[in-house]
């Protein structure tokens, strides 16, 4: 899952990004409304956290422009103001939810997850692949009856594969969704995580498709 934060208060933006990364999301941050509109319009994001008071272009206009262009990416608006008028205006321009500053980080994460769940359209966030159960909302995994502890990144890699059972998922795809756009390290990092997943979940769970990527199969 890849999120975009559009927030000009840099300390807030960076701490939100760090917190959401710790939850296993890939997070990109921009500090300007026009840049946010451009990025969000590329269609690579699963959710946008959008401040209202921004340089370049305010959040209402960014949101309105995205919707006018036909983008249905979930948008969570942040506002320093409160009051029904602002909320109504935010939802009017097509935002899916809003949060008034100051907000608790726990509430933000809960809202982000709720929006992603709603958007997924899946009534059950638990994916079943053979003997494996993957709870995408609770971020927990079981093999048979036994729960397996995964790190946030391991879980995120597994989620990319488990949501696309039967398909070949390339390393580049996994990198793009799990790491950040600024990641310039070795793309073979994906192999390290796949090895860890095989060690924890069983060797046969993830198949290597030579030269193409990885695949999980319904068994
Ligand atoms: Ca602001």
């Amino acid at each position: 899952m890849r999120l975009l934060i559009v927030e000009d208060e840099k300390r807030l933006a960076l701490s939100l990004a760090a917190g959401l990364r710790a939850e296993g999301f890939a997070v990109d941050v921009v500090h300007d409304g026009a840049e946010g509109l451009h990025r969000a319009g590329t269609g690579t994001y699963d959710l946008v956290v959008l401040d209202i008071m921004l340089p370049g272009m305010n959040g209402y206009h960014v949101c309105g422009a995205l919707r006018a262009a036909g983008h249905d990416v979930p948008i969570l608006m942040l506002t320093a103001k409160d009051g029904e008028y602002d909320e109504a205006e935010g939802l009017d321009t097509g935002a899916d939810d809003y949060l008034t500053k100051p907000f608790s980080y726990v509430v933000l994460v809960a809202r982000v997850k709720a929006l992603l769940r709603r958007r997924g359209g899946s009534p059950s966030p638990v994916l079943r692949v053979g003997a494996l159960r993957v709870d995408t909302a609770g971020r927990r995994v079981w093999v048979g009856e036994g729960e397996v502890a995964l790190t946030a990144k391991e879980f995120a890699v597994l989620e990319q594969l488990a949501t696309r059972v039967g398909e070949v998922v390339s390393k580049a795809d996994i990198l793009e969704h799990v790491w950040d756009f600024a990641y310039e390290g070795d793309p073979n990092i994906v192999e390290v995580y796949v090895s860890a997943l095989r060690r924890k979940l069983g060797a046969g769970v993830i198949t290597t498709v030579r030269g193409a990527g990885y695949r999980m199969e319904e068994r």
Side-chain angles (χ1 to χ4, degrees):
M1 289 284 173
R2 190 173 191 84
L3 313 184
L4 177 67
I5 295 176
V6 188
E7 166 61 83
D8 60 317
E9 289 168 50
K10 293 193 173 152
R11 283 183 55 187
L12 174 62
L14 294 179
S15 80
L16 292 181
L20 288 165
R21 282 180 188 130
E23 296 285 326
F25 297 109
V27 182
D28 296 335
V29 177
V30 294
H31 305 296
D32 172 277
E35 173 70 7
L37 174 60
H38 170 71
R39 277 292 181 79
T42 59
T44 53
Y45 294 98
D46 299 294
L47 182 139
V48 178
V49 177
L50 180 62
D51 189 31
I52 289 178
M53 303 303 286
L54 288 167
M57 179 186 271
N58 77 38
Y60 294 134
H61 286 137
V62 172
C63 188
L66 281 170
R67 295 303 186 233
H71 293 290
D72 62 355
V73 60
I75 295 176
L76 174 59
M77 276 203 167
L78 305 180
T79 173
K81 306 186 247 175
D82 52 15
E84 288 169 350
Y85 176 75
D86 297 319
E87 178 187 349
E89 192 174 357
L91 297 174
D92 237 30
T93 54
D96 297 275
D97 201 355
Y98 82 103
L99 267 181
T100 304
K101 296 175 189 172
F103 49 81
S104 109
Y105 177 70
V106 173
V107 171
L108 173 83
V109 171
R111 297 284 187 90
V112 163
K113 287 183 176 174
L115 282 176
L116 289 171
R117 260 201 310 281
R118 212 196 291 167
R119 191 230 185 157
S122 146
S124 158
V126 179
L127 305 169
R128 286 163 199 277
V129 187
L132 211 64
R133 278 184 300 142
V134 183
D135 176 353
T136 56
R139 309 196 82 71
R140 299 169 71 187
V141 182
W142 293 264
V143 177
E145 292 306 305
E147 183 167 2
V148 180
L150 298 183
T151 66
K153 276 276 194 290
E154 287 167 356
F155 187 91
V157 171
L158 176 66
E159 187 178 30
Q160 287 303 311
L161 294 164
T163 51
R164 296 169 62 182
V165 167
E167 289 177 44
V168 178
V169 184
S170 71
K171 267 188 217 171
D173 255 14
I174 295 173
L175 270 179
E176 179 175 317
H177 283 92
V178 178
W179 279 265
D180 307 310
F181 78 100
Y183 180 77
E184 283 173 358
D186 187 348
N188 292 321
I189 184 83
V190 174
E191 286 172 22
V192 175
Y193 282 85
V194 168
S195 300
L197 287 169
R198 284 177 173 145
R199 208 162 51 239
K200 292 183 174 182
L201 303 175
V205 165
I206 300 168
T207 307
T208 300
V209 182
R210 203 161 291 283
Y214 301 99
R215 180 171 58 210
M216 284 182 86
E217 311 217 40
E218 194 73 70
R219 257 174 266 262

